Amino acid sequence: MSIQALRRAAAPHGRFPSWLDGCLALVLLGISLVHTARSGGQWAVLDLALVVPLLWRRRAPVAVFAVIWAVAAVQNLVEKPTLADAALLVAFYTVASATARRTTLLLAMALELGIILLVIKTGSGVDEELRTFIGLSGLATAAGVLGINVRNRRLIVSGLRERANRLEQEREQELALARVTERSRIAREMHDVVAHNLSVMLALCDGAAYHVHDAPERVEAALEQASRTGRQALAEMRQLLGVLNDGPVGPELAPQPGLRQIEDLVEQVRAAGVPVSYTMTGELNGAPPGMELAIFRIVQEALTNTLKHAGAGASAYVNLTCWQETIEVVVRDTGNASSTRGSGGAGLRGMRERAAVYDGTLEAGPSAQGGWQVSATLAVPSVTSAALR
């Protein structure tokens, strides 16, 4: 075994003794040696045996206490006590500050036993023995109480540190969850914006290509509508991506679409070649902007699916019914109603998520009147319900 390995094995805490332990041992040893030299100096080796174990008191407090107690017992048998016996109080303080209370209590009893034996040996009268016992017991109690207080303080600090770490982990988890939620929202918005506007633009371009030779005026109108749709999509994308910037949101950004923009949405789909009728029953005064956006996106996605899947000659119907506590949205078309149309995807999942935000449900499938139908029911928040009453 190398010299470094031996030094690591012998050192307290796996390293050399701290300056505090070394200085404490040197001070006790120096004082005790001076006192022993005045008394003859023949028992200096016992003083050394009492003080040196303190270098390992932090690594093995119980073992160090046991060694010092045994050396002190031998000293009590062969000579008078010296100042080096204070090492026993230091060792007991370390035990009280580093071990459980049960262990501290047991070693306190051993320490009191040593004090009793010392008092019996000195035997210089009842009064003197009583004063000696009270004084030494007081010193032992003070060392134990001080050690217990230090241990309690360490436990409190450790608990506070653990709680702070736990709160930090919870905060990081909440931030991670918020980021995931925000990414999902942005992805859903981008899907709705891009899918709808591209579907409208493709339908307009296909119609323009079909009439390029026989109806140039219709081609011009279709291209103008496609251009407006593209600009609108670009503006919405810029607004959506603006939330990803670090800077503050500027006042130039347009508000999120709501119920008033459903008319414009229907006009876009009509311009793309699909006849759409739109009716709204009741009034939704004071509706949260988030709910209006959710309704708009549901209608938008349903009409986008009509453009993509309904086929030629299909028409669509949009009905919005506002009740006191719920809102019903129905989008139905007369096109293809095959089972593959509702096989899933980001659009249908996004519509269900938007409805779920307002404790709603959404169903999509073949309609009893033929074609395909999307129906959703959203719950009006309580504040809005109170206002409607």
Side-chain angles (χ1 to χ4, degrees), residues 29-201:
L29 182 60
I31 295 175
S32 62
L33 288 178
V34 171
H35 181 267
T36 303
R38 292 176 179 176
S39 303
Q42 64 271 27
W43 303 110
V45 64
L46 289 176
D47 292 347
L48 188 65
L50 283 169
V51 172
V52 170
L54 290 178
L55 297 176
W56 289 269
R57 68 186 182 93
R58 300 178 188 271
R59 183 175 185 180
V62 177
V64 168
F65 178 87
V67 170
I68 296 178
W69 190 94
V71 174
V74 173
Q75 182 195 53
N76 187 39
L77 293 175
V78 298
E79 68 163 343
K80 295 181 179 180
T82 65
L83 293 178
D85 290 323
L88 193 57
L89 296 177
V90 177
F92 182 61
Y93 158 79
T94 306
V95 168
S97 65
T99 62
R101 291 188 178 181
R102 183 177 181 180
T103 302
T104 302
L105 180 60
L106 292 176
L107 296 187
M109 295 172 62
L111 183 58
E112 284 296 317
L113 176 61
I115 293 174
I116 292 173
L117 294 176
L118 176 62
V119 170
I120 293 175
K121 181 186 176 182
T122 55
S124 57
V126 176
D127 293 338
E128 184 66 23
E129 290 177 356
L130 183 60
R131 284 195 295 269
T132 302
F133 175 77
I134 293 175
L136 294 178
S137 297
L139 291 175
T141 302
V145 171
L146 181 60
I148 291 174
N149 289 338
V150 170
R151 179 176 179 271
N152 291 338
R153 180 179 179 276
R154 289 173 181 169
L155 292 176
I156 293 174
V157 172
S158 177
L160 292 175
R161 186 179 294 111
E162 181 181 356
R163 181 181 179 186
N165 293 335
R166 185 171 63 253
L167 291 175
E168 180 66 19
Q169 292 176 357
E170 292 177 356
R171 188 181 70 87
E172 292 178 355
Q173 292 175 355
E174 290 176 357
L175 290 177
L177 181 61
R179 285 193 293 266
V180 171
T181 302
E182 185 65 11
R183 283 197 297 267
S184 299
R185 186 191 69 82
I186 293 174
R188 188 168 59 240
E189 291 287 331
M190 291 182 66
H191 172 271
D192 292 343
V193 171
V194 174
H196 172 75
N197 288 288
L198 286 181
S199 297
V200 172
M201 292 169 66

Side-chain angles (χ1 to χ4, degrees), residues 353-377:
E353 290 175 355
R354 292 183 184 278
V357 169
Y358 293 94
D359 297 328
T361 58
L362 185 138
E363 297 181 357
S367 172
Q369 293 83 12
W372 190 265
Q373 177 173 301
V374 174
S375 59
T377 302

